[in-house]
Amino acid sequence: MILVTGGAGFIGANFVLDWLACGDEPVVNLDKLTYAGNLHNLKGLQGDARHVFVQGDIGDGALVHRLLAEHQPRAIVNFAAESHVDRSIHGPADFIQTNVVGTFHLLEAARQYWQDLPAERKAAFRFLHVSTDEVYGTLTADAPAFTEAHCYEPNSPYSASKAASDHLVRAWHHTYGLPVLTTNCSNNYGPFHFPEKLIPLMIVNALAGKALPVYGDGMQVRDWLYVKDHCSAIRRVLEAGRLGETYNVGGWNEKANLDIVHTVCALLDELRPRADGQSYKTQITHVKDRPGHDRRYAIDARKIERELGWKPAETFDTGIRKTVQWYLENSEWVAGVQSGAYREWVQTQYANV
Ligand code: NAD
Ligand code: DAU
């Protein structure tokens, strides 16, 4: 049994689905179901006894304590977080509460549980913290990609809160010996990505005939990784990562935002052409830039490849095509998210949450 937090969100849900597709070890999934948590993402697991969903907060120490005592997991994989940079600029409080204070409470509950485990299970226990490349700050155009040794220079309330959580995780290992692992991944994309983030927003706005808002000049660079490759990296780190280490995860896929938007438009032009025969690119609109906008992220993923033999399975071309196709085939999921109906799913489908 493993405990996954934030497993109803974008990456967490993909992780839980892939985990149970790859094996039979059960998952307890603790998720607060904020606006970003969507149980529709886990619809395929309805009635599957290997998946126990619990609605709750990682900051609720008593609840986490009870779950650990009851389910006796061999590992915790922590995805739970507020994750959207723009939201962190408009309202940072939730980011401090969940990403910093919540991680603290989760670490404390994990430490108490781990301390009392019998020797063999104590040695095998893992706390894997899922973090981001944004903690390293921004890169100039010709600077080398972020290695694990890069200094922390977070620039947004989101990345500062994630950096703080990484430091807590590190300290709980250094001081108490908690067996932790940290992953710092680049931008993910793929199924179940909430349409507030660049790629899904562009797909759903394009199809709805709306503007495609590109911040500033659109030449900011992100390093894109298909979400299922991130999930396979986490499984690999959990399996064989060295305790107390951090592993950068990325796909060597640096792209300017404008190129991403052009690629999405070209795929939609091919797969779902506009009725008037014009390209979706005509919907692109440059808007005001994000305050404090990081110019470039790039991940040096050599350590995880060298030590753990991990490599992404998808190229950007294969991953983005799958992603656009997924959104075209899952218009019901998109409509549920846009109307807010996905939030009623809890009441109608899950009696135990
Ligand atoms: P998301 O916003 O889609 O999902 C977050 C999930 O956490 C949601 O289901 C939400 O309900 C849950 N949650 C929020 N606060 C909670 C709390 N207090 N207690 C329990 N659950 C809570 O985020 P995501 O994009 O899936 O990101 C998951 C993790 O991966 C985050 O820690 C994020 O920082 C990290 N990450 C994301 C990316 C990316 O590109 N999306 C890249 C690198 C790292
Ligand atoms: O790098 C990893 C991070 O990637 C994760 O830690 C975060 O949780 C995740 O949200 C993501 O952060 P970004 O800020 O890079 O992602 P976002 O999709 O919000 O934006 C990607 C780029 O696109 C960024 O340069 C801002 C730009 N953008 C975004 C939106 C939503 C636009 O130009 N227009 C938009 O409408």
Side-chain angles (χ1 to χ4, degrees), residues 18-295:
D18 288 3
W19 180 269
L20 292 173
C22 292
D24 274 330
E25 187 175 11
V27 174
V28 179
N29 185 350
L30 172 64
D31 195 297
K32 189 177 173 182
L33 295 181
T34 67
Y35 80 94
N38 183 349
L39 285 175
H40 272 193
N41 300 352
L42 300 162
K43 211 160 103 182
L45 296 176
Q46 235 185 318
D48 189 328
R50 300 172 305 163
H51 178 237
V52 179
F53 183 79
V54 179
Q55 184 174 9
D57 194 326
I58 56 165
D60 181 346
L63 170 65
V64 178
H65 221 78
R66 184 168 63 69
L67 289 176
L68 292 172
E70 188 181 333
H71 297 285
Q72 297 284 311
R74 68 165 176 99
I76 297 174
V77 183
N78 181 31
F79 292 96
E82 289 293 334
S83 70
H84 191 37
V85 174
D86 293 326
R87 284 182 192 256
S88 84
I89 294 167
H90 292 291
D94 286 348
F95 289 72
I96 305 304
Q97 203 51 45
T98 284
N99 301 1
V100 187
V101 181
T103 303
F104 158 71
H105 286 297
L106 187 65
L107 280 166
E108 274 297 79
R111 178 167 75 90
Q112 282 161 27
Y113 166 72
W114 165 77
Q115 261 171 356
D116 295 337
L117 286 174
E120 208 172 310
R121 291 188 47 220
K122 193 172 176 184
F125 184 76
R126 298 288 181 268
F127 183 104
L128 192 152
H129 179 61
V130 179
S131 192
T132 168
D133 59 0
E134 298 201 13
V135 298
Y136 299 124
T138 189
L139 290 169
T140 53
D142 51 359
F146 299 126
T147 67
E148 291 78 1
H150 199 282
C151 61
Y152 271 41
E153 286 179 329
N155 289 319
S156 70
Y158 163 68
S159 55
S161 69
K162 289 297 290 186
S165 69
D166 292 9
H167 290 322
L168 292 174
V169 170
R170 179 191 151 86
W172 260 241
H173 175 68
H174 190 79
T175 301
Y176 304 112
L178 188 71
V180 307
L181 298 156
T182 299
T183 53
N184 292 87
C185 189
S186 60
N187 284 62
N188 285 213
Y189 67 99
F192 307 121
H193 205 181
F194 199 83
E196 62 182 354
K197 309 277 170 64
L198 180 71
I199 289 179
L201 183 77
M202 294 300 146
I203 299 171
V204 305
N205 273 15
L207 293 171
K210 294 185 181 164
L212 308 180
V214 171
Y215 297 162
D217 64 3
M219 294 315 288
Q220 305 85 358
V221 171
R222 297 293 182 266
D223 190 350
W224 295 93
L225 182 69
Y226 190 61
V227 63
K228 290 183 181 298
D229 282 326
H230 186 189
C231 295
S232 74
I234 292 169
R235 291 197 301 276
R236 186 68 192 127
V237 172
L238 188 60
E239 188 179 33
R242 285 188 294 130
L243 294 187
E245 291 290 316
T246 69
Y247 292 91
N248 283 357
V249 184
W252 303 98
N253 268 312
E254 286 186 61
K255 306 262 181 221
N257 292 339
L258 206 49
D259 291 340
I260 294 287
V261 179
H262 283 164
T263 302
V264 166
C265 289
L267 280 166
L268 287 172
D269 287 340
E270 176 196 328
L271 299 169
R272 182 72 55 85
R274 264 173 50 157
D276 62 5
Q278 293 215 54
S279 170
Y280 288 99
K281 284 180 194 163
T282 58
Q283 292 166 232
I284 293 173
T285 317
H286 286 265
V287 298
K288 199 163 141 291
D289 209 349
R290 172 186 279 175
H293 201 168
D294 285 336
R295 195 67 183 167

